[in-house]
Amino acid sequence: MSTDSPPRTALATLAGQVGEFAAATGADAVPDEVLDRARHLVLDAVGLAFASTAYPFAAMARDALARLGAGDHPVLGMPDRLAARDAAVLGGVLVHGMDFDDTHIPAVTHVSAAALPAAISAATAAGATTRDLLTAYVLGVEVSARVGLGGAGGFHDVGFHPTAVAGAFGAAVAAGKLAGLDARGITAAQGIVGSMASGLLEFLEDGAWTKRLHPGWAAMAGLTAASFAGVGWSGPGAVYEGRFGLYATHLSGREAHPEAVGEGLGTRWELMRTAVKPYPICHFNHAFADAALLLREEHGIRPEDVVAVRAAIHPVPGKVVCEPPANKWEPRDEYDAKFSLPYTVAAALVRGRFTLAELEEDALRDRAILDLARKVEVTADHEGAFPRAYSGFVELELRDGRRVSHREQVNRGHDERPLGNDEIVAKFHDTIGRVADDETARRVRAAVLGLGDDTPARDFAEACRA
């Protein structure tokens, strides 16, 4: 345990506030409703990890990590075992790989994808209980969300992926808590991980797979930083608000609110504002899917009836799901499609739904969808709620001369329109059911919804293997 590093003055910083809060917070300090929602967020994440194993990226990630060495740590959704850090990397890839995982909307951050794999690995390595694991996971989510909030929606604008950047800090706090670090140690872990917080959005240009790796890398960075802090390694105390801290360097003078990192700790639980996705696409597209489906149903619209489509989106998320246009009109693969607003609207209008099936090869080559996507004109939305919510406006011009439109100001899944716990359970059974039998689904569900007792965390990790 760290005893003399970082310097005493570090506890007066934002990282110090987080360190003192995390060190002092046990499961008894977390409201029951927060713990119950946390179990359901974990259930969603674990179901997605299982479902991801059906895709080529899962086996490729496993093979790449296996080349780095053997280990005995269970892997989510797979029969394999890896070293603890590598299992966390793979867990992050699997939870986030389909881009169907939870999102803290104002933080623009997938909060479970790094915090959960880091907490599982750290808890298993420490011989902790599932009560410890659940508490550390909640703390990881809280910190990830607040670090993302401090960016005021600007990380995307400068090309950083906030899930990767903010997730590293949440993972460091979760891992530090499970390693038994005191306030100084958890403060140091944040300072150390600040030099590892990274993740570029360049994948948007050519459909590369790097985004899938980001939360796994963040989890590994958190575990590494906590281990270094545990032996007394120092980290800069003002890692958030300092002259060369996170916000000064990553946002280059743009609007930022570093104070958000420490605001409301223990009184406002950001985990409760975390949105579970109803669609397996970028969250920026969800309001557009709902708007298109509503217009289709209300007006009995057929694809051949549509002459033109206008979609209005805030410019910051617009960079992610509307640029470059060629990739968005005709996605090269399912990952391109997840980040295409034109494809989302067109597929919803053509097929009357948007499920994982709309990301399969037959849908990606469906000329009816692709031809309609070409008709989507994107404009700037000056009435939307971004970053508080992800708004969407869709207007259709029809052959009979009518114009019909709909605005979803607050996307479904947002904390103002949350998916209920029963809906999360149903989603879990749908996702895990793509690769596992009913007995496995029941075993995993029981293990996850039982989180918080005094059973060993390793038993939980074993229960969540394929």
Side-chain angles (χ1 to χ4, degrees):
M1 181 182 295
S2 174
T3 58
D4 59 0
S5 179
R8 181 171 297 276
T9 55
L11 290 179
T13 64
L14 291 169
Q17 291 178 36
V18 172
E20 290 185 319
F21 168 70
T25 300
D28 292 342
V30 183
D32 288 342
E33 65 170 347
V34 176
L35 293 175
D36 188 48
R37 188 64 170 182
R39 294 182 187 98
H40 285 84
L41 294 182
V42 173
L43 187 71
D44 182 53
V46 174
L48 294 171
F50 270 84
S52 286
T53 63
Y55 293 85
F57 69 81
M60 291 174 68
R62 177 201 61 204
D63 293 348
L65 292 163
R67 291 183 178 188
L68 300 176
D72 66 350
H73 193 285
V75 173
L76 281 177
M78 285 184 160
D80 304 80
R81 296 182 186 278
L82 292 168
R85 281 194 301 173
D86 293 339
V89 175
L90 185 50
V93 170
L94 295 175
V95 171
H96 187 57
M98 298 192 301
D99 214 273
F100 204 0
D101 50 317
D102 64 33
T103 310
H104 188 283
I105 300 292
V108 203
T109 301
H110 297 274
V111 288
S112 290
L116 179 62
I120 293 173
S121 285
T124 302
T129 68
T130 62
R131 182 180 178 86
D132 303 322
L133 191 164
L134 184 62
T135 305
Y137 161 73
V138 170
L139 293 172
V141 168
E142 291 298 309
V143 173
S144 297
R146 284 173 167 79
V147 174
L149 283 170
F155 284 119
H156 276 96
D157 202 32
V158 294
F160 281 111
H161 184 201
T163 296
V165 174
F169 291 96
V173 170
K177 176 71 171 178
L178 287 160
L181 301 188
D182 61 12
R184 293 183 182 283
I186 296 175
T187 301
Q190 294 167 83
I192 295 166
V193 88
S195 290
M196 308 173 190
S198 62
L200 305 180
L201 293 179
E202 184 61 20
F203 70 88
L204 291 169
E205 296 301 309
D206 58 10
W209 286 8
T210 46
K211 183 175 187 286
R212 290 185 166 115
L213 181 57
H214 287 170
W217 188 261
M220 185 188 73
L223 290 163
T224 303
S227 185
F228 270 74
V231 298
W233 203 273
S234 63
V239 66
Y240 298 114
E241 70 273 34
R243 181 165 65 104
F244 297 121
L246 173 70
Y247 297 107
T249 56
H250 285 54
L251 292 179
S252 303
R254 286 172 169 78
E255 180 184 3
H257 301 288
E259 68 279 2
V261 175
E263 284 180 348
L265 289 167
T267 58
R268 186 184 74 243
W269 295 92
E270 293 296 336
L271 183 145
M272 298 300 291
R273 301 173 70 192
T274 300
V276 174
K277 283 187 171 186
Y279 298 115
I281 51 180
C282 177
H283 229 130
F284 295 154
N285 285 332
H286 283 214
F288 295 93
D290 274 337
L293 290 170
L294 184 145
L295 290 171
R296 185 183 193 275
E297 181 178 354
E298 280 195 351
H299 301 281
I301 293 170
R302 300 171 302 171
E304 57 268 28
D305 297 332
V306 180
V307 174
V309 181
R310 184 168 70 89
I313 187 171
H314 187 281
V316 171
K319 287 183 178 181
V320 177
V321 296
C322 303
E323 299 175 11
N327 295 7
K328 307 308 180 182
W329 285 327
E330 193 152 342
R332 290 157 297 184
D333 55 27
E334 52 91 20
Y335 215 61
D336 253 2
K338 289 174 182 290
F339 291 88
S340 169
L341 187 158
Y343 181 85
T344 294
V345 171
L349 289 172
V350 170
R351 297 204 166 186
R353 64 184 189 186
F354 205 111
T355 67
L356 287 167
E358 278 59 62
L359 296 169
E360 293 176 357
E361 193 66 19
D362 69 310
L364 297 176
R365 302 294 167 254
D366 187 333
R367 286 315 315 177
I369 295 176
L370 299 178
D371 290 346
L372 186 53
R374 285 274 177 180
K375 298 178 181 179
V376 177
E377 176 192 3
V378 178
T379 61
D381 185 3
H382 300 293
E383 300 175 23
F386 182 84
R388 183 185 65 81
Y390 304 155
S391 308
F393 173 84
V394 176
E395 181 184 68
L396 306 179
E397 180 182 344
L398 306 177
R399 292 195 183 281
D400 61 10
R402 286 182 298 153
R403 289 179 181 267
V404 296
S405 64
H406 180 74
R407 170 177 287 277
E408 289 281 306
Q409 185 71 353
V410 177
N411 54 291
R412 193 157 50 96
H414 188 279
D415 58 288
E416 294 178 15
R417 300 178 62 194
L419 268 64
N421 287 345
D422 289 345
E423 292 176 286
I424 295 174
V425 171
K427 178 184 171 184
F428 163 77
H429 281 287
D430 181 58
T431 52
I432 196 173
R434 295 174 65 87
V435 297
D437 58 25
D438 289 343
E439 181 180 352
T440 300
R442 286 192 296 270
R443 181 194 77 217
V444 174
R445 175 180 169 179
V448 174
L449 295 184
L451 274 171
D453 56 20
D454 290 324
T455 57
R458 177 170 282 277
D459 290 354
F460 168 76
E462 293 287 355
C464 293
R465 289 177 68 220

